[in-house]
Amino acid sequence: MRGPKTAVSRREVLLGGSATLAAFAGGGAIGLAANAADATLPISSLDHPILPGTVTKNMMGFGSSGTPPILRLKQGTPFTIDVVNRLDEASIVHWHGLRIANGMDGVPYLTQNPIEPGERFRYSFTPPDAGTFWYHPHCNTLEQMARGLTGVMVVDEAEDPGFDLDIPLNIRDFRLGGDGQFTSFFKPRLAARGGTLGTVSTVNWQTEPVYDVPAGGLLRLRLAITDPTRVGTYSVNGGEAKVIALDSNPLPQTSPATDIVLAPGQRADVALRASDREGEIVTLTRRSPKGEKVLASFRATGQSLRRSLAELKPLTPNPVVEPDLTNAEVLEFVFGWTPEGAPPIQSICGTLDYTFWSINRKAWEGDTPDPVAPLATMRLGRSYILRLRNESPNAHPIHLHGLTFKLLKSNKRPLPPLYTDTALLLKEETMDVAVVADNPGDWAFHCHVIEHQKTGLTGYIRVAA
Ligand code: C2O
Ligand code: CU
Ligand code: CU
């Protein structure tokens, strides 16, 4: 079973094809050598027309066609992928949201050595959860992501929910000048606050792509926010649409697909019934103080398929173990500025030459072969409440690798009981989340505004047997 087709925008058709790495182990791939991986993922420098007609130079891309490929896996099926580093600097790839073995998590020194130029590393894992995930480097992260290294990963449900078309949307900005070339990746005075926003908004590396979709058909839009910085409010306008999953976990109750707040690292799955009439358009927009911006459109084509949202099978919850709140120990984390005079972070995996942020009043000292002590140690199999306190006036999407946590409560707002790997902490908010420490290893724990992460707001949590 291959699930629904993956959409291709009109411009991709013109440029000669989509970039999906369909990869099912044992799926009858032809002529693979005995120990070949299911997929190969080169990382290279390339030039690409982000703005139509203008080639942006010195981008970094996954795969060979420019736009990062959609990696397609199947829940519960083993997968191997060879990452080949063709850059002239070290890199490493992290699979955001996947609960896999620590050694496959792609964090320099904490889980493996960086992949040096010319080297390759084989990642192998079996995704336990289905949903929308993404992948990105964890080495020189701001620059490598800013130059293009962010991709979407789809893990298909064991049981096909019944969509006609699947549309992964890699949503991110680039910081380009009027000439279409990269400008500085960040500004220090902004890194010390909310972060530095991009200048050109894209979906799948295109400005305002138009996707042809079957009239009256059922579409699965997979919004993945892979931007280094921007928190946004997204809406699907026209058609009938509802949010069915957030951060790869199905919602117990679907919600309207308007005003969806998504921060860097977060994802939303939207079920959309396309318009019945040929030529009618549904838009995906993002709201900012300046107004509503169209990011992508979906144009109905052909005779109506006359499907109905009610025909979709509800998604099966992922196998996340429910935390035992009565016996959970509370672990406290404070996110804030760095004490004066902290030295800049040093590492072969890149430094921004500034230290602005901290967790528990300590700034991360950088990715080194001898990392500092964990922020906390959890015992394998036990439940914990992580009390996340933001003492700054800026928002921080807090991300934990390797584990799924549940939102409990906030001092600022009611929280739905969602499962996630990335929670947006609003200014001066304190949020309690609960987690079962069921995956052993050292798990990176950081803000997903990459300028914050790379100027101190990073650490790790140890799950020890
Ligand atoms: Cu998506 Cu440590 O990151
Ligand atoms: Cu991650
Ligand atoms: Cu932050």
Side-chain angles (χ1 to χ4, degrees), residues 352-363:
L352 303 192
D353 287 324
Y354 296 90
T355 302
F356 297 125
W357 297 95
S358 64
I359 304 181
N360 291 349
R361 320 232 177 268
K362 274 181 108 164

Side-chain angles (χ1 to χ4, degrees), residues 112-413:
Q112 70 173 96
N113 287 328
I115 309 172
E116 300 291 340
E119 284 187 356
R120 69 170 59 207
F121 186 89
R122 177 166 298 179
Y123 291 90
S124 69
F125 42 80
T126 302
D129 304 317
T132 304
F133 301 86
W134 66 294
Y135 60 99
H136 61 81
H138 229 277
C139 186
N140 196 13
T141 316
L142 180 65
E143 179 172 351
Q144 292 189 7
M145 280 179 53
R147 289 192 189 274
L149 293 178
T150 67
V152 180
M153 174 184 265
V154 171
V155 180
D156 280 314
E157 287 80 12
E159 200 187 348
D160 182 357
F163 289 95
D164 298 302
L165 190 63
D166 199 278
I167 315 186
L169 302 167
N170 181 348
I171 300 171
R172 58 163 300 166
D173 296 350
F174 289 94
R175 276 183 58 76
L176 304 180
D179 57 356
Q181 306 308 313
F182 286 113
T183 58
S184 67
F185 298 122
F186 77 104
K187 294 189 172 148
R189 71 187 161 80
L190 298 176
R193 298 183 175 81
T196 315
L197 296 177
T199 61
V200 175
S201 296
T202 64
V203 171
N204 296 334
W205 280 28
Q206 299 162 75
T207 51
E208 291 183 47
V210 179
Y211 294 91
D212 281 346
V213 300
L218 296 178
L219 321 174
R220 183 175 188 165
L221 309 184
R222 299 175 181 269
L223 285 62
I225 312 305
T226 76
D227 193 70
T229 317
R230 191 187 289 275
V231 178
T233 304
Y234 297 82
S235 294
V236 175
N237 317 281
E240 279 171 70
K242 56 190 194 178
V243 182
I244 56 171
L246 288 172
D247 303 333
S248 78
N249 289 294
L251 297 184
Q253 247 139 32
T254 60
S255 59
T258 49
D259 302 320
I260 316 164
V261 176
L262 295 172
Q266 295 188 309
R267 295 88 68 201
D269 285 43
V270 171
L272 166 66
R273 184 187 186 279
S275 320
D276 282 307
R277 269 201 302 148
E278 169 117 43
E280 271 193 3
I281 287 197
V282 172
T283 58
L284 169 68
T285 56
R286 185 179 59 220
R287 203 174 57 227
S288 75
K290 286 189 211 139
E292 195 104 352
K293 181 178 173 29
V294 174
L295 298 177
S297 326
F298 309 93
R299 180 181 165 277
T301 58
Q303 276 227 320
S304 176
L305 298 182
R306 305 212 160 277
R307 300 279 317 264
S308 142
L309 284 176
E311 294 166 38
L312 292 171
K313 287 200 205 78
L315 301 174
T316 309
N318 286 319
V320 178
V321 179
E322 189 62 30
D324 170 10
L325 294 181
T326 53
N327 296 301
E329 186 188 329
V330 178
L331 303 172
E332 304 209 29
F333 301 92
V334 181
F335 307 100
W337 281 310
T338 297
E340 290 293 328
I345 291 163
Q346 296 304 335
S347 159
I348 77 152
C349 277
T351 173
L352 303 192
D353 287 324
Y354 296 90
T355 302
F356 297 125
W357 297 95
S358 64
I359 304 181
N360 291 349
R361 320 232 177 268
K362 274 181 108 164
W364 179 245
E365 286 171 13
D367 305 315
T368 69
D370 186 19
V372 295
L375 293 162
T377 298
M378 306 195 289
R379 295 289 302 278
L380 187 64
R382 299 242 183 109
S383 294
Y384 293 85
I385 291 172
L386 313 182
R387 182 155 295 155
L388 312 176
R389 184 155 68 84
N390 179 8
E391 57 175 24
S392 80
N394 303 108
H396 302 285
I398 300 298
H399 172 49
L400 176 60
H401 289 212
L403 299 164
T404 293
F405 56 85
K406 183 183 187 177
L407 306 184
L408 294 180
K409 64 171 194 209
S410 150
N411 64 340
K412 294 263 174 190
R413 51 181 167 149

